[in-house]
Amino acid sequence: MPGIVWLNGDLSPLETATTSVADHAHLYGDGVFEGIRIYHHKIFKLDEHLERLYHGVAYLGFKMTLGSKELRATILEVCKLADVDTGYIRLNVTRGTGLGVDPKGIPSIPNVMVMVSTLNLFPSEAYEHGVSAVISPIRVIPADSLDPRVKCIGRYASSILAKHLANRQGAGDAIMLNHQGYVAEGTAMNLFIVKDRVLGTPLPASGILEGITRNTVIVLAREAGYKVVEEFLTPFDVISADECFFTGTAAEVMPMTSLEGRDINLGAVGQVTQDIMSRFKAHTNTGTPF
Ligand SMILES: Cc1ncc(COP(=O)(O)O)c(C=O)c1O
């Protein structure tokens, strides 16, 4: 996995980049991150990712020393140095360096990392045949504990537990429910269903990360004439859907063709899903050049 890393102003190869062991995200998960795709030598949805990152920092209650414009320029610069046509940017911001949970003990100097590398979440066959999923007994962390719209590093322990469970059951991913039993999302992906050519997806109030790919797909689908409804969905809605797919920066648009061992669309990728996949692919050309 080649790559380069910019960490607090210093550049190094990915293999040798290091951060302090007392970094507050390393100790407690206290920070936010973004995964961003590079397609066709352009950064996809850069401003949307930056906006979500800065909102997350404000929610966690610390201040960035680097302004959004400066960070944007840094990301473009690091991408230029990496000179990749297709790639994956990992942007991490942590509260800073120091021991102890109490934020008072942390000097107000966040650690900022921009990593440019590559990422293939699923094998290419998965995009042709879809992935299977199970319903996770591990639920999403409720909004009154940690707002799911904040892409907080520490939050991912529950996603990892759910993914570990999916792995043990031989499934491609796990669908996580909220505490009312409504469908929230995959372990690091949003979920869509298709019923009678109408797209349905959980409301933000279902406990989801409001995915940038999700929002892009909603816009692209509506432009293409599909009706898209944000709603509370139950596992029954998913199992009885005509088609299902996941969305995410890393996963892109990934068909889901079976749930808990029951086939969806006879186990094949549906027509609407294929249409959305090709519209999304065409849209990946719209990023910010570097
Ligand atoms: C929990 C969770 N939900 C949804 C998504 C999809 O969000 P996006 O499309 O912004 O990548 C992610 C992405 O990592 C995620 O971690």
Side-chain angles (χ1 to χ4, degrees), residues 32-207:
V32 287
F33 75 100
E34 289 294 325
I36 311 174
R37 283 263 182 208
I38 301 169
Y39 296 105
H40 317 290
H41 225 266
K42 295 176 194 164
I43 307 178
F44 190 58
K45 305 284 173 196
L46 174 59
D47 294 316
E48 288 81 347
H49 284 284
L50 282 171
E51 191 183 354
R52 186 167 67 187
L53 182 95
Y54 276 82
H55 284 156
V57 167
Y59 176 89
L60 292 184
F62 62 92
K63 280 209 174 65
M64 284 287 280
T65 36
L66 205 61
S68 173
K69 276 195 184 136
E70 262 175 294
L71 180 56
R72 188 181 195 275
T74 301
I75 296 168
L76 287 166
E77 198 52 45
V78 181
C79 287
K80 208 179 280 176
L81 287 169
D83 193 28
V84 288
D85 185 61
T86 304
Y88 184 79
I89 304 165
R90 177 68 193 248
L91 177 57
N92 267 39
V93 174
T94 79
R95 188 181 301 271
T97 308
L99 260 181
V101 164
D102 189 348
K104 273 205 311 285
I106 313 299
S108 318
I109 310 168
N111 291 317
V112 181
M113 179 197 79
V114 180
M115 179 204 293
V116 180
S117 186
T118 52
L119 179 75
N120 291 319
L121 199 62
F122 290 106
S124 55
E125 312 86 74
Y127 293 88
E128 276 169 51
H129 305 296
V131 289
S132 61
V134 288
I135 296 194
S136 167
I138 295 148
R139 307 232 169 166
V140 288
I141 296 171
D144 54 3
S145 296
L146 186 59
D147 196 298
R149 284 168 297 181
V150 179
K151 207 164 159 58
C152 178
I153 296 169
R155 177 180 196 89
Y156 280 79
S158 64
S159 290
I160 292 164
L161 283 175
K163 187 80 181 186
H164 195 38
L165 180 129
N167 291 344
R168 290 200 302 275
Q169 299 190 5
D173 204 53
I175 292 179
M176 299 176 78
L177 310 179
N178 67 20
H179 277 77
Q180 287 79 45
Y182 290 111
V183 170
E185 57 189 344
T187 57
M189 305 183 280
N190 293 114
L191 179 72
F192 282 80
I193 64 165
V194 183
K195 187 92 185 164
D196 300 326
R197 296 183 69 82
V198 173
L199 276 69
T201 193
L203 281 160
S206 305

